[in-house]
Amino acid sequence: MKIQEAKYVMSNSEYEKCPPPDMPEYAFIGRSNVGKSSLINMLVEKKSLAKTSQQPGKTQLINHFQINNAWYLVDLPGYGYAKVSKSEREKWEKMIGDYLYNRENLMCTFVLVDIRHKALVPDLEFMSELGQAGIPFHIIFTKADKLKAYQIEAQVAAYAEKLAEIWEVVPQMFVTSAEKHEGRDPILLAIETYNGTFSPGSIE
Ligand code: GTP
Ligand code: MG
C-alpha cells in the first residue's frame, strides 16, 4: 500500500470526542518510550507527524491521524512509566480502557515491545486484557537496529515461546526499526487486508 496522504486530525482524552467511526482504525500501544510515535512516522514516511521524545511519557492523549482519506492510525500514551503518580495512572487506564473497549471501528491494535527485552509482565497482562475483551492484536518489536540478526531471531523465538504458554495461537509478530526504516511493508499489508474487511454499515 502506498501512503499518499497522512494528516493529523485531533487529540482527545475521551473516546466520545474522537472522529466519527466511519473508517477502519488501528491503535499503537505499548510501554512508554518503546517507540510508538516513531513507528507511526516511519509507516507514513513523515519525520514528525507524531511527536516523539527521548523522555518517556511524551504522548499524553489519544491522537488520530488520517491516512489516504481512508483509515485512521492512532497514537496512544504509553503505560509503565515509573514516574507517574497513582492518580495519573488511573486516569490513563480509564482513558485507554474506554477507548479500546468502545471504539467500534477499531480493527486491531498493535502492541509494541522493545526487541531487547524479555517478555515483561505488564505487556503480557495488557495482551491478556485485550484477549479477554475480544480485541485482536499483533505484536511489533521495535528498535531492531540495536541488535544483531542472530539476537533478533533468538529474542523473537523466546517471545513466541512465552506467548505459546498463554495463547493457543501465537499472535502475528513484526520486527521493525524506525531508525533504519525497516519492517514497514508487512505492517502496511496487514492493515490493507483489514481495510478490505471493513464495512461501516455493520457499525451500530
Ligand atoms: P511515549 O509517547 O512517551 O509513550 O513514547 P513512544 O513509545 O511514542 O516512543 P517515541 O517514538 O517517542 O520514541 C522514544 C525514543 O526511542 C526516542 O528517543 C526515539 O528516537 C527512540 N526510538 C524509537 N524507535 C526507535 C528505533 O527503531 N531505533 C532506535 N535506535 N531508537 C528508536
Ligand atoms: Mg509517543
Side-chain angles (χ1 to χ4, degrees):
M1 174 170 35
K2 251 201 147 124
I3 305 295
Q4 269 130 3
E5 191 190 31
K7 61 183 186 210
Y8 167 75
V9 184
M10 57 165 86
S11 304
N12 287 292
S13 59
E14 292 150 56
Y15 85 92
E16 291 101 324
K17 294 187 183 155
C18 291
D22 53 0
M23 292 178 186
E25 181 160 312
Y26 307 89
F28 287 72
I29 197 151
R31 285 167 69 80
S32 211
N33 215 42
V34 69
K36 300 174 291 294
S37 303
S38 303
L39 184 77
I40 286 177
N41 290 336
M42 189 269 265
L43 288 176
V44 302
E45 295 186 299
K46 283 197 170 185
K47 268 216 159 67
S48 46
L49 185 66
K51 301 234 163 45
T52 66
S53 168
Q54 290 180 358
Q55 305 296 326
K58 175 69 182 171
T59 308
Q60 301 270 351
L61 295 165
I62 303 165
N63 299 287
H64 273 79
F65 302 98
Q66 195 186 57
I67 318 299
N68 294 351
N69 250 328
W71 50 282
Y72 291 117
L73 272 183
V74 175
D75 191 15
L76 294 172
Y79 51 88
Y81 175 38
K83 283 193 185 148
V84 300
S85 63
K86 189 165 173 253
S87 68
E88 281 289 311
R89 197 163 59 235
E90 283 167 359
K91 211 171 83 189
W92 180 91
E93 279 170 8
K94 178 160 172 32
M95 174 168 78
I96 303 299
D98 283 352
Y99 165 77
L100 289 173
Y101 296 137
N102 294 299
R103 190 70 178 155
E104 62 236 70
N105 58 334
L106 188 64
M107 306 300 279
C108 73
T109 60
F110 291 95
V111 180
L112 274 62
V113 295
D114 189 321
I115 189 119
R116 293 171 295 179
H117 302 156
K118 64 172 173 39
L120 299 169
V121 171
D123 290 331
L124 296 173
E125 280 178 358
F126 185 72
M127 290 174 209
S128 289
E129 281 172 32
L130 289 174
Q132 275 160 23
I135 301 166
F137 67 91
H138 307 291
I139 293 170
I140 298 181
F141 294 102
T142 62
K143 310 195 183 183
D145 53 284
K146 300 270 191 188
L147 295 183
K148 299 195 165 57
Y150 76 91
Q151 295 171 312
I152 292 172
E153 214 174 295
Q155 287 294 94
V156 172
Y159 214 99
E161 204 172 297
K162 185 81 199 169
L163 291 174
E165 291 171 13
I166 308 165
W167 303 90
E168 239 169 80
V169 180
V170 172
Q172 190 178 8
M173 300 192 285
F174 302 90
V175 176
T176 66
S177 163
E179 185 87 11
K180 290 251 175 83
H181 213 267
E182 284 169 4
R184 187 171 171 266
D185 290 349
I187 297 172
L188 291 178
L189 184 62
I191 290 174
E192 195 172 18
T193 307
Y194 272 113
N195 281 349
T197 68
F198 180 76
S199 61
S202 68
I203 288 177
E204 286 160 24

